[in-house]
Amino acid sequence: MSDDQIDQLFAPRRDHPLITVKWVQEMEKKWMKHDTPSGMTSRCDPFRADWLRCADGLNFGRAKAECRLELEDFLECLQCNKQQARQKAILQQRDKLMKEGKYTAPPFPES
């Protein structure tokens, strides 16, 4: 995640000096692809907890600098950008190998 993207993430809340649980919950709702059923924890809760432990009580500027890795892990869990990029690269490589005749897809199993 670039510095510009992180700045955009923090921009709406620069007026609020500290990172709070409520702010993180708002961001999670914004980035979650689907809601979890009532009573169940999100798959991203461990990453959110790590980031909150790091950023608790810090202002946004310090949290951005000191907790960058935790924030990137949390956002990757929510958005899956790296995972999608990796999948796209794998499919492109497969297609390239198929065009070159170096790879043949296995047949679908018959039911």
Side-chain angles (χ1 to χ4, degrees):
M1 177 169 272
S2 72
D3 286 337
D4 292 338
Q5 290 171 321
I6 291 176
D7 286 339
Q8 288 174 356
L9 180 68
F10 286 112
R13 295 296 302 205
R14 286 194 190 276
D15 60 319
H16 195 280
L18 300 177
I19 293 172
T20 62
V21 173
K22 182 179 179 184
W23 180 83
V24 173
Q25 289 171 344
E26 290 172 9
M27 294 308 299
E28 186 176 42
K29 284 179 186 175
K30 178 179 176 183
W31 291 108
M32 284 296 282
K33 295 185 183 208
H34 45 48
D35 293 327
T36 57
S38 177
M40 296 184 72
T41 60
S42 165
R43 66 187 172 91
C44 300
D45 278 350
F47 297 105
R48 179 176 61 186
D50 289 344
W51 186 65
L52 276 175
R53 265 188 237 107
C54 179
D56 185 35
L58 299 178
N59 65 32
F60 283 98
R62 280 189 61 199
K64 178 181 142 186
E66 295 178 18
C67 305
R68 182 183 184 98
L69 295 176
E70 289 85 352
L71 178 61
E72 287 180 357
D73 288 343
F74 178 46
L75 294 176
E76 171 58 24
C77 181
L78 294 174
Q79 299 171 338
C80 302
N81 292 333
K82 292 177 189 175
Q83 179 182 349
Q84 291 171 0
R86 174 94 172 118
Q87 182 179 10
K88 183 178 179 181
I90 290 170
L91 293 175
Q92 287 174 342
Q93 181 67 16
R94 182 199 64 182
D95 293 343
K96 176 184 171 191
L97 291 175
M98 287 176 78
K99 286 180 183 177
E100 294 173 356
K102 296 180 181 178
Y103 175 76
T104 305
F108 285 107
E110 294 182 24
S111 300

